[in-house]
Amino acid sequence: MAKIESRSNMIAYKSAKAWAMAADKERTIAAIKIYVKNNYENDYPIFSNRLIKEEAFDLVKDDERYKAILAAVIAKENIIKAEEKNKADSITAYQIRLEKESLSNKLELSNGSATETYKRIKAYDKYPDIKHETISL
């Protein structure tokens, strides 16, 4: 019978921890790889602290494979955090602009649902529709 791998990140994490406690470096690294893969598949992209802080993983922290895995995870996290910061900065810029231009009164932001308010804000910044297509060769 073929081995069936779980997509659970916690099962993979606990397996990695158990293999580390059993002093089996190869299986620890293999389970950590599955843990990383499962986190991404389950849309949990921020988890490097758990790998860093887990004392059981001291067994493999000097292993080049572990260092490469951790470096890749941290690099991916940094990209995600930068994207999230850009989103937050964009929202803050909109808020500042609304406050500066006193647009909150013009757009009647205190009236209606959040969806209606969002639509009014988006409509305010809307560019004119393109009336024709231009093809450049």
Side-chain angles (χ1 to χ4, degrees):
M1 224 191 239
K3 181 180 172 186
I4 298 173
E5 287 185 9
S6 169
R7 298 184 91 183
S8 166
N9 34 341
M10 285 314 297
I11 290 173
Y13 178 80
K14 288 179 180 182
S15 294
K17 188 174 174 181
W19 288 120
M21 293 170 72
D24 189 328
K25 283 186 178 186
E26 296 305 314
R27 287 184 173 154
T28 301
I29 294 291
I32 288 172
K33 287 179 181 179
I34 294 168
Y35 171 66
V36 169
K37 178 182 72 99
N38 289 352
N39 271 291
Y40 292 135
E41 287 178 1
N42 291 317
D43 200 26
Y44 298 117
I46 309 292
F47 57 90
S48 64
N49 280 343
R50 176 167 256 171
L51 291 172
I52 293 167
K53 292 179 180 179
E54 179 54 64
E55 291 179 13
F57 296 156
D58 288 351
L59 173 75
V60 294
K61 287 184 180 172
D62 290 331
D63 189 297
E64 293 304 316
R65 296 170 295 174
Y66 175 82
K67 290 177 183 179
I69 292 167
L70 186 59
V73 167
I74 291 171
K76 200 169 209 175
E77 284 181 6
N78 288 338
I79 291 169
I80 292 166
K81 288 176 182 177
E83 289 170 353
E84 291 300 314
K85 183 180 181 323
N86 287 341
K87 287 178 191 175
D89 289 348
S90 177
I91 291 168
T92 302
Y94 267 118
Q95 182 179 355
I96 290 169
R97 182 173 166 209
L98 288 171
E99 290 170 358
K100 268 187 180 177
E101 297 179 16
S102 298
L103 292 177
S104 57
N105 292 334
K106 290 179 190 175
L107 295 174
E108 301 174 18
L109 296 183
S110 61
N111 300 333
S113 70
T115 302
E116 291 168 353
T117 301
Y118 174 78
K119 287 178 182 175
R120 284 195 294 274
I121 292 170
K122 291 302 286 180
Y124 181 81
D125 279 338
K126 197 173 199 176
Y127 292 99
D129 291 337
I130 297 172
K131 303 289 184 205
H132 61 279
E133 292 184 33
T134 304
I135 299 175
S136 174
L137 300 176

